[in-house]
Amino acid sequence: MRIRLRSFGSLRRYLGRDLMIEIDEGSLLRDVLLSLPEHERLLDGLKIRDDIYVLVNGRSVSDINTALNDGDEISIVPAIIGG
């Protein structure tokens, strides 16, 4: 399967801007996140960090065991704090 991975803000420095990734059929979001360089910037153990938003096909996801399908798009966005 092929998925698209997009990262934004300061995460681009570590993850790149826009990647196409080949993954095995039946892969989970967890498999993709753990395969990324510097994945500890995204995860706290096996939980998405509170200061990171992960979207699959434009929908916010908090469960790293979310199943992925061919053609899915994962977006990883750092939370923006300020006022």
Side-chain angles (χ1 to χ4, degrees):
M1 297 189 318
R2 287 184 72 167
I3 61 159
R4 182 182 203 179
L5 176 73
R6 302 178 73 204
S7 62
F8 296 89
S10 61
L11 294 173
R12 286 183 178 172
R13 177 177 10 177
Y14 309 105
L15 303 176
R17 175 177 241 157
D18 201 1
L19 305 170
M20 293 301 287
I21 299 175
E22 291 284 337
I23 60 174
D24 293 330
E25 189 76 30
S27 291
L28 304 175
L29 177 60
R30 172 187 66 213
D31 302 320
V32 173
L33 295 178
L34 287 172
S35 74
L36 296 174
E38 309 226 17
H39 63 268
E40 65 276 357
R41 293 180 183 276
L42 309 175
L43 300 173
D44 182 10
L46 289 178
K47 180 179 173 278
I48 297 170
R49 287 177 39 159
D50 292 338
D51 60 343
I52 300 291
Y53 296 108
V54 177
L55 298 95
V56 176
N57 299 323
R59 292 190 168 183
S60 181
V61 173
S62 60
D63 182 3
I64 65 169
N65 293 312
T66 299
L68 298 174
N69 298 299
D70 188 44
D72 280 351
E73 180 177 286
I74 299 170
S75 300
I76 304 174
V77 183
I80 298 174
I81 300 170

